[in-house]
Amino acid sequence: MPIDIYLNVAVSGLLTGLVYGLMALGLSVIFGVVRVVNFAHGEMMTIAMYLAVLAFSVLGLDPLVMMVPIAAVLFVFGYALQAGLIGPFINKPEHMQFILLVAVAVILVNVQLIVFGPDARGVQTAYSYDSFAVGKLIIDATKVYAALAALTVSAALFVFFRFTEVGKAIRACADNYTGALVVGLDVRRLYALTFGIGAACVGAAGAMMVVIIDVTPSLGPAYTLLAFVIVITGGLGSMPGALLGGVLIGMTEAMAGLLFSPSAKTMFAFAILVLVLLFRPQGIMGKRAA
Amino acid sequence: MIARLIEGTSRRGLVLLALLLAFLILIPFFVNDYLITVLILIFYFAFVGQAWNIMMGFAGQLSLGHALYVGLGAYTSAALYVHFGVGPWIGMLAAIPVAGALGAVIGFLAFRFGVSGVYFAILTIAFCEFARVGFDHFRWVGGSAGFFLPVAQYSVNDLWNLRGKPSMFYYVILGFTVAAFIICHLLLRSRMGYFWQAIREDEPAARALGINAFRYKMIAVVISAGMTSLAGVFFAFFYNNLFPEQVFHISRSIEMILAPIIGGVGTLFGPILGAVILTGLSETMHEILHLLGVDVPGAKAVFYGICLLVVIVALPDGVWPWLSRRLGLSERK
């Protein structure tokens, strides 16, 4: 096979990986602050994807335009979920939180199955078949737009956590729960806010993903696992780690699809996960837990 | 042994238990095949729940990939039967070491490298996913096209080859469940059982007391994996078809932990009670939805999810601890 096929696939994997990264960023933010593992993450992703499909088919709105409103909807959903359901479980054992979110995930995925049916749904935008030619490389326009959007949202998030008052307050909660309570931060509200922000990341990622891949309800659990793999690979709680992990997994999947078979993709992603868990459990960019 | 079995159980509890067992043995004579199938499902989930409970409920290690062991047991015994004509009971003797060995590998990797809690749970999912993709490409046992056991209309029960009517399968799975209950009961009251519970409650403290946590966690994983693989053998011979996409799917792993969680993690009756509640409710709802004509795929799973949610919010310790207090039965946790 000529070398440019590999290059083409690698670039395509890189671009998809950035969208994966944004999705995983949501999981990472939630875990980094609230210390709850969102087992319904992929299901929230497919909710966003279905919203984008609906907006496109009913109102004719472009998914990339719908990114912001869909992120807002998911923000409200995430906020409500944390404030109403997960909040009381913050100090419960890990396995109970896990099971609570598994229950949420099971409900979400099957409600989607009932509402939308098992068939794949997608969007056909005006630029669906456009591509850029860079030398010998041919790059899908949709993936470029989606990746750029993912980078923009991630950058906005970095700025938010670094420079705004609320962002700093959230980081304070993550650093020292008791300390944050002592200085009078409304931790419960900040947790809900964080969960909302994490969900909004997924919302934005979902809206972008629709232009790359068709959505079915069964994508939900698959994306949950994928988000875990990415976040653990990159470092749970690390924001750059999530993006890096996304790119790494995106490219690995693309290469595995090319060199072996598309169905072997997840196997390679999980192989990376197992290696990381065994040899660098804190993840590539993660800090060693005390 | 008998003394240890009944120790700590009230007289009232024993009488109730004996009556229950007699009732369960006699029931196939009075009900139709449909109800027997429902009962089989109940005891199937009670059995795998009991096996999973050894790891999570006793030793505190959360596995979300137990479908792996069911699948291994199912495929091992089915392959032996189809390719070599070896019956299921011998197949079980092969399935237990296969599943136990893989459990040991996963346990070794996890416990040696300090993978615990949520990370451990995700590691178990990862291995189950490996198996799913692996078996999809494993042509010798049918790959993704599925693996089938020969089926015929049976008028006589062939217990040795597990070919026969539902009532035979009912007694087999009832026997499994009762055996699992007794084994778990003995394990929980044994020295090792107390070590497990110490590790579950506070591992650093347990280790400080000189308990070899690595060793006992390994034993818990191996016992749990081996026991779960028996359910796989039963699964293969009862359903007669195996698809990697179904057998190793993560929803199978989740399905089998629902009963012990709803019934009560770490209790002996929890998995059984949970299986009765879940399967009973789900079959009832299936009937109701069917009558209403709104029998859509996914409705049952939504219901499962809601049950799980309600129980984890309202009765975080499960139904059995609450119920046993109400009934005045003693079961020390």
Side-chain angles (χ1 to χ4, degrees):
Chain A
M1 264 189 281
I3 186 87
D4 30 310
I5 291 188
Y6 294 101
L7 273 178
N8 268 322
V9 170
V11 170
S12 149
L14 173 88
L15 296 174
T16 312
L18 282 169
V19 182
Y20 284 169
L22 179 60
M23 167 182 79
L25 196 58
L27 187 68
S28 196
V29 164
I30 294 170
F31 181 81
V33 178
V34 190
R35 294 276 142 195
V36 165
V37 178
N38 181 14
F39 207 74
H41 208 69
E43 285 75 6
M44 282 158 58
M45 177 91 169
T46 49
I47 291 181
M49 291 173 84
Y50 275 118
L51 289 177
V53 169
L54 276 186
F56 185 82
S57 60
V58 177
L59 306 169
L61 290 166
D62 188 281
L64 295 181
V65 177
M66 285 303 291
M67 196 175 86
V68 176
I70 288 175
V73 171
L74 266 285
F75 174 85
V76 173
F77 179 76
Y79 192 101
L81 194 64
Q82 168 69 28
L85 201 58
I86 303 168
F89 275 76
I90 290 299
N91 296 317
K92 295 257 176 80
E94 245 170 15
H95 75 269
M96 277 190 192
Q97 302 171 351
F98 219 48
I99 286 152
L100 178 76
L101 280 149
V102 164
V104 172
V106 168
I107 295 172
L108 288 181
V109 69
N110 288 290
V111 166
Q112 290 175 42
L113 184 66
I114 294 170
V115 175
F116 298 104
D119 297 331
R121 304 254 196 125
V123 296
Q124 288 291 329
T125 53
Y127 49 86
S128 276
Y129 297 107
D130 289 0
S131 58
F132 301 115
V134 183
K136 279 188 169 177
L137 288 179
I138 299 160
I139 307 165
D140 289 344
T142 49
K143 286 187 180 162
V144 174
Y145 298 148
L148 284 177
L151 280 177
T152 314
V153 175
S154 310
L157 213 60
F158 282 116
V159 171
F160 171 75
F161 278 115
R162 184 66 54 190
F163 297 111
T164 66
E165 283 286 307
V166 182
K168 284 179 188 168
I170 288 176
R171 282 195 291 138
C173 294
D175 280 349
N176 192 334
Y177 177 80
T178 320
L181 283 174
V182 168
V183 296
L185 290 175
D186 186 351
V187 176
R188 273 170 53 191
R189 197 179 64 87
L190 289 171
Y191 272 8
L193 209 57
T194 309
F195 211 103
I197 292 169
C201 285
V202 188
M208 292 165 206
M209 197 51 107
V210 161
V211 298
I212 299 177
I213 190 174
D214 291 347
V215 55
T216 66
S218 61
L219 267 186
Y223 275 145
T224 300
L225 292 179
L226 192 68
F228 280 135
V229 173
I230 291 169
V231 160
I232 290 173
T233 306
L236 204 45
S238 152
M239 291 177 60
L243 283 184
L244 185 75
V247 169
L248 185 68
I249 298 294
M251 289 176 79
T252 308
E253 281 201 338
M255 280 299 171
L258 176 68
L259 297 173
F260 299 93
S261 81
S263 62
K265 283 199 311 194
T266 47
M267 197 143 153
F268 279 85
F270 276 105
I272 290 187
L273 170 82
V274 170
L275 290 177
V276 168
L277 276 179
L278 298 183
F279 296 109
R280 198 176 158 80
Q282 73 271 39
I284 296 170
M285 308 276 286
K287 286 178 278 240
R288 184 95 215 177
Chain B
M1 203 174 111
I2 305 247
R4 255 170 88 185
L5 256 182
I6 58 174
E7 176 200 326
T9 313
S10 68
R11 213 186 184 87
R12 194 170 159 200
L14 281 179
V15 172
L16 278 175
L17 212 57
L19 282 175
L20 181 69
L21 197 61
F23 173 71
L24 289 173
I25 289 172
L26 292 174
I27 203 167
F29 295 104
F30 302 106
V31 298
N32 59 20
D33 275 2
Y34 166 70
L35 272 176
I36 292 180
T37 312
V38 174
L39 287 171
I40 291 173
L41 266 181
I42 289 177
F43 285 109
Y44 173 79
F45 282 118
F47 178 74
V48 285
Q50 199 75 268
W52 175 83
N53 204 22
I54 295 177
M55 244 174 103
M56 176 64 215
F58 297 178
Q61 306 303 310
L62 175 59
S63 164
L64 286 178
H66 250 52
L68 173 64
Y69 308 121
V70 172
L72 282 177
Y75 270 103
T76 307
S77 61
L80 285 174
Y81 186 70
V82 171
H83 291 303
F84 305 112
V86 177
W89 298 99
I90 309 286
M92 286 175 199
L93 295 181
I96 294 174
V98 169
L102 197 65
V105 170
I106 297 173
F108 178 82
L109 288 175
F111 304 143
R112 229 352 141 215
F113 288 84
V115 178
S116 60
V118 170
Y119 292 91
F120 178 72
I122 290 167
L123 191 73
T124 59
I125 297 178
F127 274 94
C128 195
E129 286 287 299
F130 277 146
R132 184 172 64 83
V133 180
F135 274 91
D136 255 345
H137 295 92
F138 195 2
R139 286 288 148 79
W140 189 59
V141 287
S144 55
F147 194 45
F148 302 93
L149 276 73
V151 196
Q153 195 68 49
Y154 301 104
S155 49
V156 282
N157 291 327
D158 179 357
L159 186 60
W160 178 245
N161 284 316
L162 277 186
R163 313 273 76 190
K165 287 181 277 192
S167 56
M168 180 194 70
F169 283 100
Y170 170 77
Y171 284 117
V172 170
I173 197 72
L174 179 65
F176 275 17
T177 310
V178 171
F181 180 85
I182 293 171
I183 290 171
C184 285
H185 190 99
L186 292 174
L187 280 173
L188 201 57
R189 297 280 192 279
S190 72
R191 192 177 165 79
M192 188 160 70
Y194 289 111
F195 286 170
W196 280 340
Q197 290 167 69
I199 292 168
R200 178 188 74 194
E201 293 303 326
D202 190 341
E203 193 177 325
R207 280 158 70 168
L209 288 171
I211 297 173
N212 186 344
F214 175 77
R215 184 173 162 200
Y216 289 107
K217 285 196 288 187
M218 286 293 283
I219 296 175
V221 175
V222 171
I223 294 179
S224 177
M227 212 152 131
T228 310
S229 73
L230 292 182
V233 178
F234 181 85
F235 184 94
F237 282 82
F238 184 63
Y239 287 105
N240 297 308
N241 61 71
L242 299 169
F243 294 91
E245 283 302 319
Q246 291 171 7
V247 176
F248 293 105
H249 199 269
I250 179 152
S251 58
R252 288 288 91 71
S253 299
I254 290 174
E255 204 172 75
M256 69 177 79
I257 72 176
L258 292 181
I261 289 169
I262 288 185
V265 172
T267 64
L268 290 167
F269 279 103
I272 301 172
L273 183 68
V276 172
I277 294 173
L278 265 183
T279 313
L281 282 175
S282 117
E283 288 300 322
T284 318
M285 206 191 61
H286 187 78
E287 287 298 305
I288 292 172
L289 286 177
H290 191 70
L291 284 177
L292 295 174
V294 282
D295 196 4
V296 284
K300 200 167 127 180
V302 170
F303 166 77
Y304 264 3
I306 293 171
C307 278
L308 197 57
L309 206 62
V310 169
V311 169
I312 201 88
V313 171
L315 296 168
D317 291 332
V319 177
W320 173 254
W322 171 81
L323 189 71
S324 68
R325 276 197 304 275
R326 281 297 167 92
L327 293 179
L329 301 168
S330 79
E331 196 205 43
R332 285 178 303 178
K333 207 180 153 186

